[in-house]
């Protein structure tokens, strides 16, 4: 798990800064939701932040990017909002 956590820290810092939230808070949510497993899936929820289908499409529109729940950059940026 430690390697997965370390692998995503630059994206966590970027998403936290972009959304003006605490890095430790974003790390905690990501750990609780997926243990930093970018391919995590629980029911209809997907990715690092376990985003649901509605959140995925809504956040993609807000971020003006393609919906990609298994992409760590997208998941962290969307989840940080």
């Amino acid at each position: 798990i430690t390697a997965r956590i370390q692998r995503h820290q630059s994206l966590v810092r970027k998403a936290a800064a972009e959304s003006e939230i605490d890095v430790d808070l974003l790390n905690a949510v990501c750990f609780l939701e997926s243990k930093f497993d970018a391919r995590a899936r629980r029911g209809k929820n997907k990715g690092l932040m376990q985003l649901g289908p509605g959140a995925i499409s809504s956040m993609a529109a807000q971020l003006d990017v393609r919906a990609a729940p298994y992409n760590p950059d997208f998941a962290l940026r969307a989840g940080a909002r």
Side-chain angles (χ1 to χ4, degrees), residues 2 12 16-17 27 56-57 62 71-72 76:
T2 302
V12 169
N27 271 312
I56 292 168
S57 56
Q62 285 184 35
N71 176 295
L76 288 163

Side-chain angles (χ1 to χ4, degrees), residues 15 26 38 46-51 59 63 68-81:
L26 190 55
K46 302 174 183 176
L48 285 174
M49 301 299 284
Q50 289 295 286
L51 302 170
M59 289 294 102
L63 295 168
Y70 295 116
N71 176 295
D73 185 51
F74 173 82
L76 288 163
R77 290 177 67 210
R81 296 218 169 185

Side-chain angles (χ1 to χ4, degrees), residues 31-50:
F31 184 80
L32 288 173
E33 292 293 343
S34 68
K35 304 289 190 272
F36 283 86
D37 179 359
R39 302 297 303 169
R41 184 178 184 123
R42 189 177 320 126
K44 294 182 180 181
N45 299 336
K46 302 174 183 176
L48 285 174
M49 301 299 284
Q50 289 295 286

